[in-house]
Amino acid sequence: MEKFPKDFIWGTATSSYQIEGGAALDGKGPSIWDAFSSIPGKIFEGGTGDVACDHYHKFKEDVQLMKNMGVKAYRFSIAWARVMPTGKDTVNEKGIQFYSDLIDELLKADITPWVTLYHWDLPLALQLEDDGWLGTAIVDHFAAYANLCFERFGDRVKNWITLNEPWVVAILGYGQGVFAPGRTSNSEPYLAAHHLILAHAKAVNLYRENYSYQAGQIGITNNCDWREPLTDSQQDKAAAERALEFFLAWFADPIYKGDYPAVMKERLGERLPNFSAAEKEMMLGTSDFFGLNHYTTMYAAHDDGTGKNQNVYGNGGISEDQAVDLSLDKNWKLTNMNWAVVPWGCKKLLAWIDERYGQPEIIITENGCAYVDELVDGEVDDQERLDFYKGYLQACQQAISEGIKLKGFFAWSFMDNFEWASGYSKRFGLHYVDFETLERTPKKSALWFKDAIAQNSADV
Ligand code: GAL
């Protein structure tokens, strides 16, 4: 049986808006997701995060369930508007108390907290007053919020993630408009992304300058699918490479190399903002680990202008800018999100990152799948999810045995939750949540995960 390295980090992940509920409780301010989900037609069947999994009240039970699984780490996010209701200046002590209690509960259970500062729920006031991620003020506001978190939680939290998936914020929030704040544009995504990267960099610099005594680590989580060339032609190979650059290198190159990829500069011209020399210096090296969310794979082909897959979700950027045509293999199995299950794509992506960024330590901060789960006699037989995790974790094992420095794996998600525009129609959890009674039940995959953790192997 192939084993993971001894110190491999086995974790599960969630985010604030998707699980907490308590949307207006104890002084919490509204976020752009509270506003967005209140607009008719934006969320499947009108779902909102008002109650979600009610984790705000049930967090002790949830920590206990994690402990039962034997997870070593839990990745959650802080709702900025819960601790700073307007995103700046005023601190809400009751919000601070909530996260403080959660952190204490985790430590008592021997579970290491991994804290994401921003998982998309921007305080609404910052959107209305400062133009959200389009304005320049956000950079300082984010740094001040990060400072508050380091100051209040950094005595116990040693693993920080500044941003979750800035690609999604930029493309789905400002390009396609299917996520908050719901804007559509072919230039705003590049501007929003620019400020996201600068905000990340400023927060990391601040952490390193003022909180080094806390002896923690800090990084960013980016998302990327694998892009496999459709054919062996030079054109398709270049298209696949270009797709990965527009997807992942857009955010990772500034941090690891100090600037945007050349191909983006060439193709976008003035729509891509420039970094000043001082900004380049501030950004460089601002991630102690390479946080990666990975779910799926698509074929990439050169788009000769007749491409049929323009603007589909997962296109890795404004598709016209990339000239890449994406497609699926009809033999690939699909999840309930219609995402293809391709474990070897995960291994190839890890190798691509390893090579391009000089062997960084990589943490998979999300991987998982949605299926139509049913609770029958108190049990959920989600064999497909079990197979999915086994396949992806075996691909991870192979990557490690080939020398890639993969240090951890967080399953998305600990429990079923609010799946953004899909509302409650997509179940990603290791635990089933009955959204009427809010009762949690470990699925078959959670029991498998527990064994895998105990044996430190995917071959179980
Ligand atoms: C990620 C996101 C999570 C979760 C997951 C499944 O993009 O960070 O919040 O929703 O996808 O769609």
Side-chain angles (χ1 to χ4, degrees), residues 6 20 30 36 71 81 114 127 134 206 213 215 249 321 428 437 439:
K6 263 207 196 73
E20 285 179 3
F36 189 71
V71 298
W114 282 67
Q127 188 71 42
L134 297 179
L206 185 147
Y213 69 90
D321 292 336
F428 271 93
T437 63
E439 207 178 307

Side-chain angles (χ1 to χ4, degrees), residues 184-403:
T184 49
S185 162
N186 77 345
S187 61
E188 286 184 3
Y190 301 112
L191 186 60
H194 198 70
H195 296 141
L196 281 155
I197 296 164
L198 291 173
H200 151 82
K202 183 149 191 175
V204 173
N205 275 276
L206 185 147
Y207 183 65
R208 288 180 178 164
E209 272 157 33
N210 300 339
Y211 295 93
S212 57
Y213 69 90
Q214 291 181 351
Q217 56 170 348
I218 188 163
I220 186 170
T221 276
N222 283 303
N223 57 307
C224 196
D225 304 341
W226 175 245
R227 297 294 181 241
E228 181 73 8
L230 181 66
T231 71
D232 272 348
S233 75
Q234 273 316 316
Q235 272 197 327
D236 286 355
K237 283 186 187 163
E241 189 68 12
R242 200 159 64 239
L244 291 166
E245 291 186 317
F246 267 83
F247 205 151
L248 184 56
W250 179 10
F251 296 95
D253 273 22
I255 293 167
Y256 286 86
K257 295 172 184 282
D259 206 352
Y260 291 121
V263 70
M264 292 187 74
K265 292 188 184 186
E266 281 157 25
R267 300 183 79 94
L268 296 170
E270 282 185 351
R271 282 184 295 144
L272 191 69
N274 288 313
F275 291 115
S276 70
E279 287 170 341
K280 287 180 183 174
E281 205 184 302
M282 173 173 85
M283 292 180 319
L284 200 60
T286 50
S287 208
D288 293 327
F289 50 85
F290 198 107
L292 174 71
N293 291 354
H294 173 73
Y295 286 91
T296 191
T297 286
M298 289 178 105
Y299 282 127
H302 180 71
D303 184 0
D304 58 6
T306 59
K308 293 176 195 66
N309 294 297
Q310 305 272 316
N311 273 324
V312 294
Y313 175 84
N315 212 353
I318 306 290
S319 52
E320 296 75 12
D321 292 336
Q322 299 178 40
V324 176
D325 189 38
L326 298 176
S327 58
L328 293 173
D329 190 317
K330 61 178 182 334
N331 295 315
W332 290 341
K333 286 189 187 145
L334 301 180
T335 70
N336 195 28
M337 296 294 279
N338 283 330
W339 297 347
V341 181
V342 189
W344 55 258
C346 179
K347 193 178 150 208
K348 287 196 177 190
L349 178 61
L350 291 170
W352 190 84
I353 292 168
D354 184 72
E355 204 198 313
R356 187 177 182 97
Y357 299 113
Q359 295 226 285
E361 294 196 343
I362 306 173
I363 315 258
I364 295 188
T365 42
E366 283 181 31
N367 171 252
C369 49
Y371 285 106
V372 182
D373 299 319
E374 277 169 36
L375 187 63
V376 181
D377 298 332
E379 290 181 8
V380 180
D381 183 0
D382 61 336
Q383 183 66 38
E384 288 168 304
R385 182 172 293 101
L386 189 164
D387 293 341
F388 178 98
Y389 277 123
K390 194 170 181 165
Y392 276 80
L393 278 159
Q394 282 175 339
C396 290
Q397 273 181 184
Q398 282 168 21
I400 293 171
S401 71
E402 289 169 22

Side-chain angles (χ1 to χ4, degrees), residues 18 119-120 164-165 293 295 339 366 412 419-420 428:
Q18 295 179 273
H119 201 124
W120 311 348
N164 178 68
E165 305 190 350
N293 291 354
Y295 286 91
W339 297 347
E366 283 181 31
W412 183 273
E419 178 51 31
W420 309 112
F428 271 93

